[in-house]
Amino acid sequence: LGPVYGVRLHEDFTRWTDFIDAFSLDVLGLTYPDVCIGSMPDRLLLAALWPILSIMIGGAALACCALAEWLLSGRADALRRDLVRLTLRRLLYWAILVAYL
């Protein structure tokens, strides 16, 4: 409650949640200090867009990997269908992982 609302609760109320403070889900806060990013609108925009960009870059990497595997293999038709399904499945796992970070 403190960082969001500026409220300080008594220790008796927050003692059982101290272990949650060890797990920070703020990826930007772990990599860059807030003052390095800029104003609050810039930080909010960056915090909102980094998961989308990460999913797109991961999807492009998975697609390039599947394309290279398809081009380097001798079996074109059967492998293509399997690679499309496998790539889409991997992309879904990647998107879910990034969305929950």
Side-chain angles (χ1 to χ4, degrees):
L1 286 174
V4 177
Y5 299 109
V7 176
R8 232 180 121 95
L9 295 175
H10 194 270
E11 186 179 323
D12 292 338
F13 296 116
T14 60
R15 188 178 314 135
W16 62 277
T17 61
D18 286 341
F19 70 93
I20 294 175
D21 293 337
F23 302 106
S24 176
L25 299 178
D26 181 21
V27 176
L28 290 176
L30 292 174
T31 55
Y32 296 106
D34 289 338
V35 295
C36 292
I37 296 174
S39 66
M40 183 55 91
D42 292 340
R43 284 186 265 174
L44 290 174
L45 183 66
L46 188 60
L49 292 180
W50 82 261
I52 296 168
L53 293 174
S54 178
I55 290 170
M56 290 175 64
I57 290 170
L62 288 172
C64 288
C65 180
L67 180 65
E69 188 176 341
W70 179 60
L71 291 175
L72 294 175
S73 69
R75 307 170 298 147
D77 292 334
L79 186 62
R80 186 181 72 197
R81 286 188 301 271
D82 293 337
L83 278 176
V84 168
R85 270 190 238 124
L86 183 63
T87 303
L88 289 176
R89 191 174 303 136
R90 286 179 182 165
L91 181 59
L92 179 64
Y93 288 143
W94 174 248
I96 291 171
L97 175 72
V98 170
Y100 281 108
L101 284 179

